[in-house]
Amino acid sequence: MVSFRFHLVSIIGVFLALGIGIAIGASVVDRATVSALERQLDAVGDRADRTNSENDRLRNDVSRWERFADEAGDELVEGRLLGVDVVVVGVQGIDREPIDRLRQSIVAAGARLRGTVWLTGKLQLEEPADVASLSDALVVAPGPADLVRRTLIERLAGAWAAGESASPLARLRETGFAELEAVDEATLAPSGTRFVVVAGDKADVPNDVLAVPLAAELAELAPTRVVAVESGREATAATPAVRAVFVGPLRGDDDSSSRLSTVDNIESYRGRIAAVLALADLGPQGKVGHYGVGPRASRMVPEPASP
């Protein structure tokens, strides 16, 4: 007969063998896992090294462009706008620094900068009192906010395109709908004036209700005399890129895109130069184009003029 002791010894042996097998198997799995992790860490390290190298290259590239901008200044556009009248029209809320630099480049190119008109956040017309005030300034019957604002756009574009002094600009300034910089209201936009319309994602009035329709209306009444511009921001680890939020709809409209030029990166030296050259291509040449690094931009800068 098989004794109880034999059963006990057999059971102990089975469990002992099982334990040894598990221990050996676990050690093998652990070594394989460690090896795999080490390989993954090596791969991650290689990618990090490549990324750091690429970042260094990009930083050096940006530094070279900044040095180029400092050294070249506005010499590349000197004389390109000699004797041309230019008016800048912007919507408040956007970053002023790129606009200041662009205006300096426009003047350096030889243009007569007639002044800058800033349209204010009151043109959102959120309050009934603002609608009534704008209606009075335009001498029209009060109506829906969109209709009154549309009347304003048509009045401004019509007066500026025709080179007339009879525009509602003075009343807009008095009632807080516009602010003027270095503007002679009687001679703001003489015949043939070219216009820079500027807005962006931080405009105090949404682009689709003010800046876009104003640029489109002005381009319809004064074709090949308008450049629409904006600043943009590149993507970061935390935020997506912001580009062509104002000029994008103009580029996407067949009528507008054939009548005006656009630039989507005036925050950079290249964008400012492109904007000045785009202004130079307007007027009698009648050449329009869409420049920058955003959607539907066809080139970084205008093509050189034919000899």
Side-chain angles (χ1 to χ4, degrees):
M1 293 182 60
V2 179
S3 67
F4 174 76
R5 177 180 293 181
F6 180 81
H7 279 296
L8 181 60
V9 171
S10 298
I11 292 171
I12 291 173
V14 170
F15 279 102
L16 182 60
L18 182 60
I20 293 172
I22 291 174
I24 293 173
S27 64
V28 172
V29 171
D30 286 344
R31 284 196 296 272
T33 301
V34 169
S35 297
L37 290 174
E38 288 176 344
R39 289 193 296 273
Q40 292 175 8
L41 288 173
D42 290 341
V44 170
D46 290 341
R47 286 196 296 271
D49 290 341
R50 290 195 297 270
T51 300
N52 289 335
S53 297
E54 180 65 11
N55 287 340
D56 289 341
R57 186 189 68 79
L58 292 173
R59 279 192 290 268
N60 290 334
D61 187 43
V62 170
S63 178
R64 284 192 293 269
W65 269 109
E66 289 176 346
R67 189 166 63 252
F68 173 80
D70 290 339
E71 294 175 359
D74 292 317
E75 293 182 9
L76 295 178
V77 295
E78 284 185 358
R80 297 300 297 269
L81 291 173
L82 195 61
V84 174
D85 293 305
V86 177
V87 170
V88 177
V89 184
V91 182
Q92 285 188 343
I94 61 174
D95 184 7
R96 294 286 186 97
E97 183 178 354
I99 306 306
D100 292 340
R101 292 181 178 178
L102 176 59
R103 290 186 295 189
Q104 291 170 5
S105 296
I106 289 172
V107 172
R112 290 188 293 264
L113 185 60
R114 310 295 300 195
T116 302
V117 178
W118 289 106
L119 303 175
T120 73
K122 282 189 70 174
L123 286 170
Q124 290 193 68
L125 301 182
E126 293 181 329
E127 302 295 333
D130 290 337
V131 179
S133 178
L134 182 58
S135 299
D136 289 342
L138 298 174
V139 194
V140 297
D146 289 344
L147 180 59
V148 176
R149 188 167 42 233
R150 181 65 200 179
T151 301
L152 165 69
I153 290 170
E154 291 173 353
R155 292 276 184 89
L156 287 176
W160 292 342
E164 299 173 358
S165 60
S167 79
L169 196 57
R171 288 287 292 145
L172 294 178
R173 177 180 53 77
E174 293 170 2
T175 51
F177 292 105
E179 294 182 1
L180 312 181
E181 291 183 19
V183 169
D184 181 348
E185 296 169 27
T187 57
L188 174 65
S191 179
T193 295
R194 303 178 199 181
F195 300 89
V196 177
V197 182
V198 54
D201 67 308
K202 294 184 178 180
D204 286 344
V205 184
N207 295 312
D208 61 340
V209 301
L210 184 55
V212 170
L214 176 60
E217 182 75 11
L218 194 53
E220 181 178 357
L221 299 176
T224 69
R225 286 167 51 194
V226 180
V227 179
V229 305
E230 69 176 277
S231 299
R233 296 188 298 277
E234 300 299 337
T236 68
T239 59
V242 177
R243 186 73 64 186
V245 295
F246 161 49
V247 304
L250 295 167
R251 291 173 174 176
D253 182 83
D254 290 341
D255 290 334
S256 296
S257 64
S258 64
R259 294 170 176 155
L260 55 70
S261 293
T262 62
V263 181
D264 63 42
N265 61 333
I266 63 165
E267 78 282 355
S268 72
Y269 177 75
R270 288 170 285 189
R272 293 195 303 276
I273 295 300
V276 173
L277 295 178
L279 270 173
D281 280 345
L282 298 178
Q285 295 187 62
K287 179 183 174 183
V288 300
H290 305 285
Y291 311 109
V293 295
R296 296 191 179 97
S298 58
R299 292 177 55 89
M300 288 288 292
V301 295
E303 293 183 16
S306 301

